Amino acid sequence: MKLINILFSAILATIPVNMNAQKSYIFYADGVEEVEAVATVDALRRAGMDVVTVSIKDTPVVTGATQQKLMADTLISEVDFSDADWLIVPGGVPGAPNLHGDPVVNDVIKRHWNNGRRVAGICAGPAVVLAPIGILKGLKATCYPGLESNLADGGAEYVKEPVVVDGRLITSEGPGTTLQFAGAIITATLGKDKAAEVLSGMLVDKQ
């Protein structure tokens, strides 16, 4: 555990920071991995970030991968993403395939990325949602083990690490790396000291 914390601290120290925080949005679809969907939002909000959970359905209630009911803040049809800083893509099956199957989600992410904004994805999110729409070309990324070929098909370089940061892109492996993933987003947005403060308060550094 101490080695993991040392390595993660080294990752945080290398992340470029942009203090101009705006709203960030995380997509919820049926089959979403609940840990990634909820713990990411929890940590970012503890840091003071304005994070909005967005259902891609016509109802705010989604059913997660383990059949837990999650209530999103709003519907994708009601959101103007022009004020977005981060767009965050959780994984889960069939959550990630459901996100990729929605043309509005794909269009929103591509336009956001092409406008120079930031994107984060975890678990199946990078491989199933981000890689196929072409935004990972030439970038380093990670994903849930076993989906590496999807990254390669999308032109990305797979890196076997819990969290990988490449410029405006942050990716992570899965449920067990969710708080490290959130910490990387906080670091890039508010600085490594804020990330360390939040994660320490959540006892992430405890064995």
Side-chain angles (χ1 to χ4, degrees), residues 12 35 99 118 142 159 204:
L12 293 183
V35 171
L99 288 177
R118 305 190 284 188
T142 193
V159 180
V204 175

Side-chain angles (χ1 to χ4, degrees), residues 5-56:
N5 287 333
I6 291 171
L7 292 174
F8 183 51
S9 296
I11 291 172
L12 293 183
T14 65
I15 298 173
V17 179
N18 179 352
M19 294 292 193
N20 298 319
Q22 300 169 284
K23 282 188 179 180
S24 295
Y25 298 87
I26 182 169
F27 296 107
Y28 281 11
D30 282 337
V32 67
E33 169 53 57
E34 294 97 336
V35 171
E36 297 160 5
V38 175
T40 300
V41 175
D42 183 290
L44 300 188
R45 287 181 175 171
R46 287 172 188 257
M49 292 177 61
D50 188 355
V51 185
V52 180
T53 58
V54 180
S55 169
I56 70 166

Side-chain angles (χ1 to χ4, degrees), residues 94-105:
N98 284 338
L99 288 177
H100 179 56
D102 189 312
V104 175
V105 172

Side-chain angles (χ1 to χ4, degrees), residues 1 5 9 17 29 38 46 49 59 65 69 82 86 94 97-98 104 117 126 133 140 142 153 155 165 171 177 179 191:
M1 180 65 74
N5 287 333
S9 296
V17 179
V38 175
R46 287 172 188 257
M49 292 177 61
T59 170
K69 300 293 184 182
S82 63
W86 291 96
N98 284 338
V104 175
R117 303 295 183 88
I133 61 176
K140 295 179 180 180
T142 193
D153 290 344
V165 180
T171 54
T177 64
L179 291 179

Side-chain angles (χ1 to χ4, degrees), residues 33 36 89-93 95-97 121-132 142-145 147 150-151 172-175:
E33 169 53 57
E36 297 160 5
V89 180
V93 175
I122 185 171
C123 193
V128 175
V129 183
L130 303 182
T142 193
C143 65
Y144 193 82
L147 298 176
N150 293 50
L151 294 184
S172 188
E173 289 186 313

Side-chain angles (χ1 to χ4, degrees), residues 22 42 47 66 84 89-90 108 149 151 169 205:
Q22 300 169 284
D42 183 290
T66 63
V89 180
V108 165
S149 62
L151 294 184
L169 176 73
D205 57 346

